[in-house]
């Protein structure tokens, strides 16, 4: 299946350039992982790799090794990884290090730092009519509700 360019891709690029890590949030099947893959240079599938729980207990920093930006998909399966990513962003002092995706929230029992100054957040929704090809995007809500004299 061919990737459909998303309006949010530009925002993801902008946020990667501005911070060490980007958390992409949104409902299941809205395209978070597929969008992230367009930018990622390496991927860790937390929910599929059977070594992840073992490495989280023995050597969690090894999970962060890889070309950057490194996609950490379904990160909430191992919520402790958040704090390791936060520290790694501090240590590396570079933008575009990690992209985190997942459609569920981690357990509230896990103590997590806010990520302020390290993470930016991108909220994604399902494909728009324009992205699906049902609209040209010529008419925008912003223009309709502005004081502009432009009419369609």
């Amino acid at each position: 299946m061919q990737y459909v360019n998303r309006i949010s891709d530009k925002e993801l690029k902008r946020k990667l350039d501005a911070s060490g890590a980007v958390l992409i949030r949104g409902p299941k099947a809205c395209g978070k992982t597929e969008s992230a893959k367009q930018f990622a240079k390496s991927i860790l599938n937390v929910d599929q790799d059977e070594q992840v729980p073992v490495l989280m207990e023995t050597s969690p920093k090894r999970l962060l090794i890889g070309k950057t930006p490194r996609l950490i998909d379904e990160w909430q399966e191992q919520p402790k990884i958040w704090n390791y990513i936060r520290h790694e962003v501090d240590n590396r002092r570079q933008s575009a290090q990690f992209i985190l995706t997942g459609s569920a929230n981690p357990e509230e029992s896990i103590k997590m730092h806010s990520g302020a100054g390290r993470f930016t957040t991108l909220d994604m929704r399902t494909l728009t009519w324009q992205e699906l090809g049902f609209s040209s995007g010529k008419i925008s809500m912003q223009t309709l509700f502005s004081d502009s004299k432009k009419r369609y």
Side-chain angles (χ1 to χ4, degrees):
M1 192 164 89
Q2 186 176 350
Y3 178 75
V4 174
N5 289 321
R6 304 291 304 266
I7 295 168
S8 59
D9 289 347
K10 289 179 185 173
E11 187 68 5
L12 177 54
K13 172 73 170 117
R14 188 183 72 76
K15 290 185 180 231
L16 277 169
D17 290 343
S19 64
V22 176
L23 169 63
I24 304 176
R25 300 183 301 192
K28 288 185 184 295
C30 75
K32 297 178 299 296
T33 300
E34 286 306 311
S35 286
K37 283 180 179 179
Q38 306 311 303
F39 295 88
K41 301 285 190 258
S42 66
I43 300 172
L44 172 64
N45 293 303
V46 174
D47 63 334
Q48 295 177 13
D49 189 334
E50 294 178 7
Q51 294 299 311
V52 170
V54 175
L55 286 170
M56 279 303 297
E57 293 298 322
T58 59
S59 186
K61 289 179 82 173
R62 290 190 62 196
L63 296 170
L64 307 182
I65 297 171
K67 292 183 179 179
T68 60
R70 182 158 175 76
L71 170 56
I72 312 292
D73 189 37
E74 298 298 343
W75 73 273
Q76 79 283 348
E77 295 287 326
Q78 294 291 331
K80 289 182 182 179
I81 202 167
W82 176 276
N83 287 326
Y84 289 101
I85 292 169
R86 176 176 62 93
H87 289 296
E88 197 65 22
V89 167
D90 285 346
N91 292 337
R92 293 180 186 181
R93 298 179 185 209
Q94 295 178 348
S95 61
Q97 294 300 297
F98 299 98
I99 305 170
L100 287 74
T101 57
S103 48
N105 291 324
E107 296 177 22
E108 290 187 23
S109 62
I110 303 297
K111 185 177 178 183
M112 290 173 37
H113 185 277
S114 70
R118 293 124 176 138
F119 291 83
T120 55
T121 303
L122 175 64
D123 289 317
M124 284 187 67
R125 303 290 177 247
T126 56
L127 289 164
T128 66
W129 281 27
Q130 183 179 353
E131 291 167 331
L132 289 168
F134 297 132
S135 169
S136 68
K138 183 178 178 182
I139 300 174
S140 72
M141 295 299 283
Q142 180 180 5
T143 304
L144 287 173
F145 291 105
S146 73
D147 291 335
S148 172
K149 302 290 185 220
K150 184 177 179 180
R151 298 290 173 223
Y152 297 99

